[in-house]
Amino acid sequence: VAAAALTGPIEAAGAVSTLSEFALIERFFRRSSRSAVLGIGDDAALLAPTAGCEIAVSVDMLVAGRHFFPDVDPRALGHKALAVNLSDMAAMGAQPRWALLGAALPDVDSDWLAAFSAGLFALADEFGVELVGGDTTRGPLNVCVTIIGEAPSGRSLRRSGAVVGDRVWVSGPLGGAALALQALQGRIGLTAEQREACERCLLWPQPRVALGLRLRGIATSCIDISDGLVGDLGHILEASAVGAEIDLAAIPRLATLDRAAAADKPLVRDCILAGGDDYELCFTAPADSDGALAALAVELGLALAAIGTITASGRLVARVDGVPMPALPHGFDHFRG
Amino acid sequence: VAAAALTGPIEAAGAVSTLSEFALIERFFRRSSRSAVLGIGDDAALLAPTAGCEIAVSVDMLVAGRHFFPDVDPRALGHKALAVNLSDMAAMGAQPRWALLGAALPDVDSDWLAAFSAGLFALADEFGVELVGGDTTRGPLNVCVTIIGEAPSGRSLRRSGAVVGDRVWVSGPLGGAALALQALQGRIGLTAEQREACERCLLWPQPRVALGLRLRGIATSCIDISDGLVGDLGHILEASAVGAEIDLAAIPRLATLDRAAAADKPLVRDCILAGGDDYELCFTAPADSDGALAALAVELGLALAAIGTITASGRLVARVDGVPMPALPHGFDHFRG
């Protein structure tokens, strides 16, 4: 079972007791098991992997004040904690199946927990994912989700298969989440409409699981964009030992941002190129897949866009009106300072 | 990839940058993959489960100030963070295979990280476990390990199979970890020898993986003792819808504690019955397995001890010199308040 808590003086006053931890798990996180051999309630869950499949596993830890504002809508946090993991499954072309939740909570707030678990389970249900394990404890707010998915052996997407001449694609508008953060921090003025569109990207990212599954056999490499296009495409280039040229104008953006004031355009551009937290996919595919991908975009209702080409240069070049940008904003370092 | 960090004012000064996170993972946690199809370095690891096996998965979150002292030896913390998860695999009779690490760190301290990873990998190597995923971030110290193991389908140990007439067993001395904590908090005086023996239990628990594997086909139920014998045996009783009678004198304890001062004996007793964090196994087996278990104890060098019998009463009764104790200390609530 879960690790015992220290007791006595070093324990914060009013700590979650073992009993209330069990009660919490029962009340907010335990549901009858549908897909597991054995779900929550023993020392481990037991799962039966599908014959012929490999399992894909990933973990993400979200810390209050670093990955989300402490006063975030708990329903949105429950959604996002799982969404970022589902996005990793999407990037691998894996079918998400099961999740485990580690959570440190500063106090036991039933309303907060009810909303958090509602957000998490709504997304889990949408994607057929079952929560099969959990460990809740008292501590500074921290949510750590492990996701387990499956893909037929040898058919997963990786970062390492991009080939010179492949097109570079993204699965939808970039920069919205980063702009929402800039607005929340008072660094940019957005209209109510713009702000709402951007905050939807930041708080309610939609993992591109269906796309990832359909990209098996089409994409030569794939990654999800969580740290920004420049950084994450950079991972593909490094893993594949190639370069790329991309065209800024080809990168999809939220329609509402085309009306950004001129003064804000450099910031908008940097958010598109280097803003994190959008969770669209970036992938590469041979040019002869253009038709298949165009059809897939229509079928899935996604704004798939070819934004450039894989080159042999080993470097990433972004062009604006045909002219290479002299320097690229990288990851979220741009926003530090 | 991992979730993007918020940036700007709400981020703590000097936060771990994306780049340094990658560097950290490279330096301290990434090793060449031996057992995974694809290890650390993509959006997820890919693992090939053994045909005919179910996978067992569990997560444990350890929070500074709650599960360990913030100034704990980082090598011991690395050991324990994995040990508590290996113990869950032991309790399931599962062969541990892979682990994932989520870690929030208050700062980047190379010496601390080197020691933490050395402690974690020493234990991982001992048990043939590979670290296949990780997410490091800045935040209040928090370590969240997910473990994945395997067991032939249908052969795992559970909490729910205890039958009236079974013997109740524990795999070794209980109470040491709880007594170490009492000593560290100045509530009990221990000799240097006693203190060292108890601190070994608290800081360097030894997961009983080999025992768990051998208990397949022998034990009718199993759990690891992390919250204390009364509470954890209670989980077996509840899951199996039975009761038990145990004999306090039959419970193994550290030899050095037999010389505890008379005034300390009630505390020692409570630690044995309800102290957490020892990570011995509690299991049940038919009486006709006594010989097999005695032989197994010799083979594995463990102080396996039959401490009682499963009854139909639905209650747990502990006898001292044949007399039922009027009340049982429960979990670690005893130490509160």
Side-chain angles (χ1 to χ4, degrees):
Chain A
V1 296
L6 298 172
T7 53
I10 81 153
E11 174 176 282
V16 178
S17 76
T18 301
L19 279 175
S20 69
E21 185 196 333
F22 296 142
L24 276 180
I25 292 172
E26 277 295 328
R27 177 158 170 209
F28 294 111
F29 298 113
R30 185 170 180 173
R31 309 199 300 185
S32 60
S33 180
R34 294 157 298 156
S35 68
V37 177
L38 183 67
I40 289 177
D42 212 300
D43 288 280
L46 295 173
L47 312 173
T50 304
C53 280
E54 290 162 353
I55 57 174
V57 292
S58 179
V59 63
D60 277 294
M61 180 175 267
L62 303 185
V63 176
R66 175 138 182 92
H67 300 96
F68 57 89
F69 291 92
D71 65 349
V72 66
D73 173 358
R75 187 180 293 259
L77 181 61
H79 171 96
K80 188 161 178 175
L82 183 59
V84 300
N85 283 276
L86 291 174
S87 182
D88 284 323
M89 295 294 99
M92 300 300 289
Q95 176 71 55
R97 299 285 312 273
W98 303 289
L100 298 95
L101 169 69
L105 308 168
D107 48 43
V108 178
D109 176 335
S110 291
D111 291 343
W112 193 97
L113 276 164
F116 176 85
S117 79
L120 189 145
F121 279 121
L123 194 66
D125 289 345
E126 183 183 340
F127 287 93
V129 167
E130 181 172 347
L131 186 69
V132 295
D135 187 18
T136 55
T137 183
R138 169 83 49 148
L141 186 55
N142 181 313
V143 179
C144 187
V145 173
T146 301
I147 189 95
I148 304 175
E150 294 185 313
S153 295
R155 300 207 63 210
S156 294
L157 308 176
R158 302 186 182 194
R159 300 177 180 178
S160 54
V163 176
V164 174
D166 281 353
R167 292 211 204 293
V168 178
W169 292 78
V170 295
S171 63
L174 303 185
L179 279 162
L181 189 58
Q182 298 295 312
L184 285 166
Q185 295 175 336
R187 298 181 184 189
I188 184 174
L190 296 178
T191 66
E193 181 201 14
Q194 288 172 332
R195 191 167 175 136
E196 191 190 329
C198 289
E199 288 192 3
R200 207 158 39 232
C201 298
L202 178 67
L203 297 175
W204 299 94
Q206 299 300 313
R208 302 306 185 195
V209 173
L211 175 62
L213 295 174
R214 296 294 294 276
L215 288 178
R216 290 180 193 159
I218 298 177
T220 51
S221 71
C222 189
I223 194 170
D224 72 325
I225 304 175
S226 59
D227 286 329
L229 176 64
V230 167
D232 289 324
L233 175 54
H235 291 310
I236 285 182
L237 303 185
E238 188 182 349
S240 302
V242 293
E245 286 207 10
I246 59 174
D247 174 11
L248 190 72
I251 302 173
R253 67 203 66 196
L254 298 172
T256 184
L257 293 177
D258 283 337
R259 296 186 295 278
D264 291 335
K265 289 200 185 298
L267 181 60
V268 171
R269 174 198 292 176
D270 287 349
C271 285
I272 288 169
L273 280 172
D277 250 0
D278 282 318
Y279 301 100
E280 297 292 348
L281 298 184
C282 176
F283 59 96
T284 59
D288 65 11
S289 299
D290 286 3
L293 289 166
L296 195 55
V298 173
E299 183 188 334
L300 298 178
L302 296 175
L304 301 189
I307 64 167
T309 307
I310 294 294
T311 68
S313 74
R315 295 186 307 117
L316 175 58
V317 175
R319 291 183 185 272
V320 180
D321 298 330
V323 179
M325 292 175 66
L328 292 177
H330 189 79
F332 59 83
D333 283 356
H334 174 75
F335 300 105
R336 184 160 299 154
Chain B
V1 297
L6 297 173
T7 53
I10 80 153
E11 174 175 283
V16 178
S17 77
T18 301
L19 279 175
S20 70
E21 184 196 333
F22 296 143
L24 276 180
I25 292 173
E26 278 294 327
R27 178 159 170 208
F28 294 111
F29 298 114
R30 186 170 178 173
R31 308 199 300 186
S32 60
S33 180
R34 295 157 297 157
S35 69
V37 177
L38 183 67
I40 289 177
D42 211 300
D43 288 280
L46 294 173
L47 312 172
T50 304
C53 280
E54 291 162 352
I55 58 174
V57 292
S58 179
V59 63
D60 277 294
M61 178 174 269
L62 303 186
V63 176
R66 175 139 183 93
H67 300 95
F68 57 89
F69 291 93
D71 65 350
V72 67
D73 172 359
R75 186 180 293 259
L77 181 61
H79 171 97
K80 187 161 178 175
L82 183 59
V84 301
N85 283 277
L86 291 175
S87 181
D88 284 323
M89 295 294 99
M92 300 302 289
Q95 177 72 56
R97 297 287 312 273
W98 303 288
L100 300 96
L101 169 70
L105 308 168
D107 47 42
V108 179
D109 176 335
S110 291
D111 291 342
W112 192 97
L113 276 164
F116 175 84
S117 79
L120 189 144
F121 278 121
L123 194 67
D125 290 345
E126 183 183 340
F127 287 93
V129 168
E130 181 172 347
L131 187 70
V132 295
D135 188 17
T136 55
T137 183
R138 170 84 48 151
L141 185 56
N142 182 313
V143 179
C144 187
V145 173
T146 301
I147 188 97
I148 305 175
E150 296 185 312
S153 296
R155 300 208 61 211
S156 293
L157 308 176
R158 303 186 182 193
R159 300 178 179 177
S160 54
V163 176
V164 175
D166 280 353
R167 292 213 204 291
V168 178
W169 293 77
V170 294
S171 62
L174 302 185
L179 279 163
L181 189 58
Q182 298 294 314
L184 285 166
Q185 296 175 336
R187 298 184 183 187
I188 185 174
L190 296 178
T191 66
E193 180 201 17
Q194 288 172 332
R195 191 167 174 137
E196 192 191 327
C198 289
E199 287 192 4
R200 208 157 38 232
C201 298
L202 179 67
L203 297 174
W204 299 95
Q206 299 300 312
R208 302 305 184 196
V209 173
L211 175 62
L213 295 175
R214 296 293 295 276
L215 288 178
R216 290 180 193 159
I218 298 177
T220 52
S221 71
C222 190
I223 194 170
D224 72 324
I225 303 174
S226 60
D227 285 329
L229 175 64
V230 167
D232 289 323
L233 174 55
H235 291 311
I236 284 181
L237 302 185
E238 189 182 348
S240 302
V242 293
E245 287 208 9
I246 59 174
D247 175 11
L248 191 72
I251 303 172
R253 67 202 66 195
L254 298 173
T256 183
L257 292 177
D258 283 338
R259 296 187 295 278
D264 291 333
K265 289 199 185 298
L267 182 59
V268 171
R269 174 198 291 177
D270 287 350
C271 285
I272 288 169
L273 281 172
D277 250 0
D278 282 317
Y279 301 100
E280 296 293 347
L281 298 183
C282 176
F283 59 97
T284 58
D288 65 11
S289 299
D290 285 3
L293 288 167
L296 195 54
V298 173
E299 182 188 334
L300 298 178
L302 296 175
L304 301 188
I307 64 167
T309 307
I310 294 295
T311 69
S313 74
R315 295 186 307 119
L316 175 59
V317 175
R319 292 184 185 271
V320 180
D321 300 328
V323 180
M325 291 175 68
L328 292 177
H330 189 79
F332 60 82
D333 285 356
H334 174 75
F335 301 105
R336 181 159 302 149

